[in-house]
Amino acid sequence: MDPYKFRPSTSLDTPFWTTNAGAPICNNNDSLTVGIRGPILLEDYHMIEKLANFTRERIPERVVHARGMSAKGFFEVTHDVTHLSCADFLRAPGVQTPVIVRFSTVIHERGSPETLRDPRGFATKFYTREGNFDIVGNNFPVFFIRDGIKFPDVIHAFKPNPKSHIQEYWRIFDFLSHHPESLSTFTWFFDDVGIPLNYRHMEGFGVHTYCLINKAGKVTYVKFHWKPTCGVKCLMDDEAMKIGGANHSHATQDLYDSIASGNYPEWRLCIQTMEPADEDKFDFDPLDMTKIWPEDMFPLQQIGRLVLNKNIDNWFAENEMLAFNPAHVVPGIYYSNDKLFQLRLFAYSDTQRYRLGTNYLQLPVNAPKCPHHNNHYDGFMTPMIREGEVDYFESRYDPARHAEKVPMPNAIVSGRREKRIIEKQNDFKQPGERYRSWAPDRQERFLCRLVNALSDPRITYEIRAIWVSYWTQCDQTLGQKLASRLNVRPNI
């Protein structure tokens, strides 16, 4: 074969995984970290190549969260948290910060009905005096996978079949049969909360573990929770079908009409906190985003409220061009070593530069509302007219200087370079506890949804048996009922 005439073809695929350049990959499941728990390393070329390719798969629609609606308002501090964080926007009760929030469905395309069973995005941009802070979360507190290197795979499994363009459960259950950590999220996805009534009656979760840092440099782990003051309300499957057939934009219309009529949606921002010194005391890894922090151990504490009191002025300018990035934090708030969180810090800015261009942060809806200064300029579609002759740092002709040093986590990080799963996986305890907390009728609805999904004719007996075994390890009664209805013997 003439190597210069070779053309790539799936018919010539190797039996093992490779990079785009053909180098063999020995581990496509775990990102390269310092030690078992991280942080992840930028030298993991395969991980970055995988994510970079993934974020460029669609133009110009978002790869995920394509269907969404935004609204503007304010965040007000209600409780003193200066002992936890030196963030300026949290400096005192009564302080208000302008915000814009985007609600969305995750998987389906921009024109899809808002009544489909699908996770929902709940993304909040705070325009603070120290720059923008983005909490980019969902309506579930957990996610299907724990390592960001698997994010393209889980989204591909949920997306329509690339051959038929039909979303099919056999693909989802085939992929996640290799990832029992997904069980926790299934107890939300197939629960009644899987189809919110609308955006106003929907919870939001930051999902990841963040770090709060006070003026003394003390670090506290934190999780963020948005709690709607009007309560959580959901649609049953038959109600969703009826509403979706009549109005595929019912949640967008409800949000817009409510704000227009003066019925402003409101949420309480609550936090859970944990001392980093205590993180090894539990039977789960607190930085594993497939796990919740039990509220009886880590009670919710209200710190503020969010009010949406203004509709956007232009859907394209303030919804389609609106760009969030979990890497956008402010002094007093920082990241944790959550593996998926760490990867999102790269992936979101990468996808926004691809989707909207290099200068997406100069667009009015994304630009900070405080003074800012750097030498990032020019490129496609820049709206900035830059004055001055000095475009480097440092210079005796330009008085720009470093900002004051702010506290950040300074724990010593050491370990081998390695691709490994975390040690405390404990994938079955929390989903079993959540299932047992429900009333019998809610348990039955969950079971029926599982049975219907696992009855997809493309799902093999082997895959059904794996899922029956997983759910049996979560709850023996649930596993027995599932096995009976699917006519499958569990194989634990």
Side-chain angles (χ1 to χ4, degrees):
M1 181 182 68
D2 185 347
Y4 297 101
K5 293 183 177 179
F6 173 76
R7 292 291 182 270
S9 169
T10 56
S11 65
L12 301 174
D13 279 355
T14 66
F16 51 83
W17 218 250
T18 72
T19 66
N20 285 350
I25 298 299
C26 64
N27 186 337
N28 189 36
N29 289 326
D30 303 297
S31 52
L32 185 65
T33 58
V34 178
I36 297 176
R37 298 180 66 237
I40 62 175
L41 296 175
L42 194 60
E43 67 185 65
D44 191 344
Y45 171 78
H46 167 58
M47 176 195 71
I48 291 175
E49 178 183 76
K50 184 175 180 179
L51 265 293
N53 275 263
F54 173 68
T55 57
R56 289 161 172 80
E57 287 180 0
R58 302 286 190 276
I59 56 170
E61 182 177 286
R62 287 171 169 90
V63 178
V64 288
H65 299 277
R67 176 68 196 263
M69 184 59 178
S70 308
K72 295 181 281 191
F74 64 89
F75 171 77
E76 181 180 14
V77 180
T78 57
H79 294 72
D80 184 9
V81 290
T82 53
H83 62 294
L84 295 173
S85 175
C86 60
D88 176 74
F89 79 102
L90 299 174
R91 64 189 176 274
V95 171
Q96 292 188 356
T97 300
V99 300
I100 187 166
V101 177
R102 187 174 188 267
F103 305 98
S104 57
T105 58
V106 173
I107 298 299
H108 299 91
E109 60 269 17
R110 192 161 59 191
S112 59
E114 293 177 310
T115 50
L116 296 176
R117 184 167 298 276
D118 193 1
R120 266 52 173 187
F122 192 128
T124 308
K125 186 182 295 293
F126 300 76
Y127 298 108
T128 87
R129 301 193 307 185
E130 296 179 307
N132 293 349
F133 170 45
D134 293 355
I135 299 180
V136 192
N138 289 332
N139 68 322
F140 302 158
V142 286
F143 196 61
F144 293 98
I145 45 108
R146 60 166 59 96
D147 194 312
I149 199 171
K150 301 303 295 181
F151 188 73
D153 300 297
V154 70
I155 298 302
H156 283 168
F158 273 82
K159 286 281 190 180
N161 184 320
K163 182 176 182 180
S164 65
H165 201 65
I166 299 171
Q167 188 183 36
E168 296 166 319
Y169 273 120
W170 70 265
R171 292 163 40 80
I172 297 171
F173 282 96
D174 172 38
F175 169 69
L176 291 176
S177 68
H178 299 278
H179 297 278
E181 70 264 31
S182 63
L183 290 160
S184 279
T185 309
F186 268 113
T187 62
W188 292 80
F189 183 54
F190 276 176
D191 182 26
D192 293 345
V193 298
I195 309 178
L197 173 64
N198 49 51
Y199 297 132
R200 291 184 298 121
H201 292 87
M202 188 178 82
E203 289 181 292
F205 301 91
V207 185
H208 298 292
T209 300
Y210 289 73
C211 293
L212 297 179
I213 311 128
N214 66 15
K215 287 184 178 179
K218 183 180 183 298
V219 176
T220 304
Y221 285 156
V222 65
K223 280 186 177 285
F224 295 109
H225 302 255
W226 297 109
K227 300 294 182 181
T229 58
C230 59
V232 176
K233 296 183 181 179
C234 313
L235 291 171
M236 296 298 103
D237 298 79
D238 56 341
E239 296 173 320
M241 290 182 65
K242 185 183 299 183
I243 292 174
N247 180 3
H248 81 299
S249 300
H250 83 285
T252 292
Q253 183 172 355
D254 174 85
L255 180 67
Y256 190 93
D257 291 349
S258 296
I259 294 173
S261 66
N263 181 23
Y264 301 140
E266 183 173 336
W267 287 261
R268 293 179 294 117
L269 178 59
C270 299
I271 60 172
Q272 292 177 292
T273 60
M274 178 191 299
E275 295 295 328
D278 295 338
E279 65 177 298
D280 293 327
K281 296 181 179 179
F282 312 104
D283 62 2
F284 64 96
D285 189 329
L287 305 188
D288 178 0
M289 67 176 299
T290 69
K291 302 292 182 290
I292 63 167
W293 294 1
E295 291 183 19
D296 58 344
M297 300 170 63
F298 306 96
L300 295 177
Q301 313 164 50
Q302 182 176 348
I303 67 169
R305 69 188 187 111
L306 167 70
V307 179
L308 298 181
N309 59 5
K310 188 177 189 306
N311 280 312
I312 55 176
D313 297 307
N314 181 275
W315 182 82
F316 183 78
E318 296 180 297
N319 184 74
E320 287 303 281
M321 294 204 298
L322 177 58
F324 293 92
N325 187 349
H328 293 164
V329 295
V330 293
I333 300 175
Y334 205 72
Y335 327 116
S336 74
N337 284 343
D338 172 342
K339 286 189 180 184
L340 187 48
F341 195 3
Q342 289 264 318
L343 188 136
R344 292 177 82 198
L345 306 182
F346 160 78
Y348 276 64
S349 55
D350 184 54
T351 192
Q352 303 298 8
R353 291 187 189 101
Y354 167 68
R355 190 174 70 87
L356 297 172
T358 304
N359 295 298
Y360 76 97
L361 285 173
Q362 294 180 22
L363 296 170
V365 72
N366 299 322
K369 309 309 176 192
C370 61
H372 54 288
H373 183 145
N374 59 48
N375 289 323
H376 305 161
Y377 65 91
D378 291 355
F380 289 109
M381 302 299 290
T382 180
M384 180 183 294
I385 299 176
R386 190 182 183 281
E387 300 177 356
E389 299 175 287
V390 175
D391 56 359
Y392 46 85
F393 182 88
E394 297 167 312
S395 169
R396 291 183 171 86
Y397 296 94
D398 186 334
R401 62 188 187 280
H402 289 121
E404 292 183 12
K405 189 174 182 179
V406 297
M408 62 183 295
N410 59 1
I412 296 173
V413 178
S414 64
R416 293 187 179 93
R417 292 180 176 93
E418 50 189 328
K419 282 177 170 277
R420 282 183 57 192
I421 198 168
I422 62 173
E423 291 178 334
K424 291 183 181 178
Q425 298 169 50
N426 205 355
D427 296 325
F428 306 106
K429 180 181 178 183
Q430 289 193 1
E433 291 174 341
R434 179 167 168 82
Y435 172 79
R436 288 187 292 275
S437 72
W438 296 334
D441 60 331
R442 189 169 177 178
Q443 291 180 346
E444 176 62 21
R445 289 192 294 271
F446 176 78
L447 177 61
C448 287
R449 294 177 189 123
L450 266 182
V451 171
N452 289 338
L454 288 168
S455 297
D456 186 312
R458 291 286 299 274
I459 295 179
T460 64
Y461 184 92
E462 176 192 10
I463 293 175
R464 288 194 185 101
I466 290 171
W467 281 101
V468 169
S469 300
Y470 284 166
W471 289 112
T472 301
Q473 292 175 77
C474 295
D475 183 89
Q476 190 169 5
T477 301
L478 171 59
Q480 290 171 345
K481 290 180 179 179
L482 189 60
S484 175
R485 299 193 191 185
L486 291 174
N487 194 25
V488 169
R489 287 189 61 186
N491 180 24
I492 299 176

